[in-house]
Amino acid sequence: MAGRIVTLGTAITETVDALGLGTLIVATDVTSEHPAYIKKLPKVSRNRSLSVEGLMQFQPDLVLAQEGDISSAVLTQLKKIGVKVISIHQEFSVKGAERFIMDVAGALQVKQQGELLVQQMRKKFEAIHQQVKNDTKPTVKVLFIYARGAGNMTVAGKGSNMDAIIQLAGGCNAVQEFTQFKPYSTEALIKTNPDVLLLFDFGAGSLGGNDAILKMPGVMLTNAGKNKRIVTVDGPLMINFAARLPEAM
């Protein structure tokens, strides 16, 4: 088992912690904020860009990263230095979350702890899934808006992480015309006519809060606006798709 671990990605960091090996983490990336002690750990950079120097200052035995998050150039340099790097694939589904946990557990050589964590998550998921199935209310049409201020907004299409969590929670993504994320527009908002607007809490804050969102062009022409149905959620929790997936649902 590695003695000094650098974790890149909130889902990986949280999974290492959930496996009981959080004390081995010497540094993380800026997206990793849970549990509370993780916020106090050093960060490998001030943003999401990574460098060999930024990683090596922590003298890691193992770097765990989500697939595609480390450039090929940095990977090549780390291998030359002799640092072990393991990339973990993430899939936005319950089965994908289970595989993710087992892949992280395998990288840390704690397969038994991984199997136990998967069993615990599966029990929680089954209870929530049954609750969703028993809900007799009409399916809610949800529009997720990723916001970094009024001039920087996108909406989640099919196949995105937010599309998956909306469906798992028993809702319907209001956007069906495209995949992943595309720029927000008033025209698209009115056309989709969502029942609920869903935002990360920091995104809603960047727009001035719920009252300011309701005053945005076109919002009051939607069911969500008319009924003032704006839901704000913890961003890192929603995109985790690992040990805390049931909590996110």
Side-chain angles (χ1 to χ4, degrees):
M1 185 190 301
R4 297 175 62 82
I5 304 171
V6 170
T7 57
L8 305 177
T10 178
I12 287 179
T13 303
E14 292 183 22
T15 303
V16 173
D17 172 78
L19 290 167
L21 300 176
T23 55
L24 299 181
I25 302 174
V26 295
T28 67
D29 72 323
V30 293
T31 70
S32 300
E33 297 184 340
H34 181 87
Y37 77 89
I38 293 295
K39 292 183 179 181
K40 300 177 183 178
L41 291 176
K43 304 301 179 185
V44 295
S45 73
R46 294 180 180 179
N47 49 42
R48 298 203 64 173
S49 63
L50 299 170
S51 68
V52 174
E53 294 77 14
L55 290 167
M56 290 310 299
Q57 65 177 311
F58 301 105
Q59 300 179 316
D61 299 311
L62 174 65
V63 176
L64 290 177
Q66 290 180 207
E67 193 175 73
D69 278 4
I70 301 182
S71 70
S72 57
V74 172
L75 276 174
T76 299
Q77 292 180 64
L78 289 173
K79 288 179 181 178
K80 285 182 179 178
I81 298 170
V83 176
K84 187 175 183 180
V85 181
I86 297 179
S87 296
I88 310 293
H89 175 70
Q90 188 171 39
E91 179 187 316
F92 304 127
S93 67
V94 174
K95 290 296 182 183
E98 293 177 359
R99 282 192 293 270
F100 187 89
I101 290 170
M102 290 308 302
D103 286 346
V104 174
L108 297 174
Q109 300 175 24
V110 289
K111 183 179 178 181
Q112 190 171 359
Q113 287 98 310
E115 290 172 345
L116 178 61
L117 182 57
V118 166
Q119 290 173 10
Q120 293 170 345
M121 188 186 76
R122 194 173 289 164
K123 287 181 181 178
K124 294 177 183 177
F125 167 74
E126 288 173 352
I128 295 169
H129 182 61
Q130 191 60 49
Q131 181 180 339
V132 170
K133 284 180 64 177
N134 291 341
D135 190 351
T136 57
K137 298 174 186 175
T139 301
V140 175
K141 189 162 60 169
V142 182
L143 179 68
F144 173 73
I145 303 173
Y146 180 80
R148 287 285 191 180
N152 188 3
M153 294 187 288
T154 58
V155 294
K158 296 187 296 182
S160 64
N161 47 13
M162 293 308 297
D163 174 64
I165 196 68
I166 287 169
Q167 291 187 59
L168 285 173
C172 171
N173 187 1
V175 176
Q176 297 294 316
E177 292 78 17
F178 56 81
T179 60
Q180 298 309 319
F181 286 80
K182 286 194 175 181
Y184 168 94
S185 71
T186 301
E187 292 76 17
L189 168 72
I190 296 171
K191 181 180 178 181
T192 56
N193 188 24
D195 300 308
V196 172
L197 296 181
L198 179 67
L199 299 93
F200 292 156
D201 44 17
F202 65 78
S206 77
L207 297 174
N210 286 12
D211 289 343
I213 293 170
L214 288 171
K215 293 176 183 177
M216 286 169 45
V219 170
M220 290 307 294
L221 298 176
T222 68
N223 290 334
K226 293 170 184 174
N227 296 306
K228 298 183 178 180
R229 298 188 71 182
I230 300 172
V231 176
T232 59
V233 290
D234 178 350
L237 173 63
M238 291 299 111
I239 64 172
N240 184 298
F241 276 86
R244 293 202 294 160
L245 178 57
E247 185 180 339
M249 290 171 57

